[in-house]
Amino acid sequence: MMDIAVADRADDVRQYPPRAAVVSWIFFDWAAQPYFTLITTFVFAPYFASFVAPDPPTGQALWGLPPPLPA
């Protein structure tokens, strides 16, 4: 039984996506990432500090709290 599974695995050949698809994904990711970073930093952070939190200083303190928690 084990020999059959090993033989089937040996016949598998890795198929990679076409080079154009990989390059397209790289450019998409490179172009999209700054947008999400900018929105999170310069749009959502002030909104959170001003409207979600009880007051702006507490909002800034709460906004800075999550990154150290997982570490």
Side-chain angles (χ1 to χ4, degrees):
M1 191 80 153
M2 182 75 151
D3 295 333
I4 294 171
V6 172
D8 288 343
R9 264 190 172 170
D11 294 336
D12 289 343
V13 176
R14 289 192 110 176
Q15 293 186 359
Y16 296 100
R19 183 175 178 86
V22 173
V23 171
S24 299
W25 179 84
I26 289 169
F27 280 126
F28 168 77
D29 191 50
W30 175 73
Q33 187 58 40
Y35 174 77
F36 298 113
T37 302
L38 289 173
I39 293 297
T40 303
T41 304
F42 295 109
V43 175
F44 189 69
Y47 166 76
F48 181 84
S50 298
F51 296 106
V52 177
D55 56 17
T58 305
Q60 289 178 356
L62 291 173
W63 186 255
L65 184 63
L69 288 180

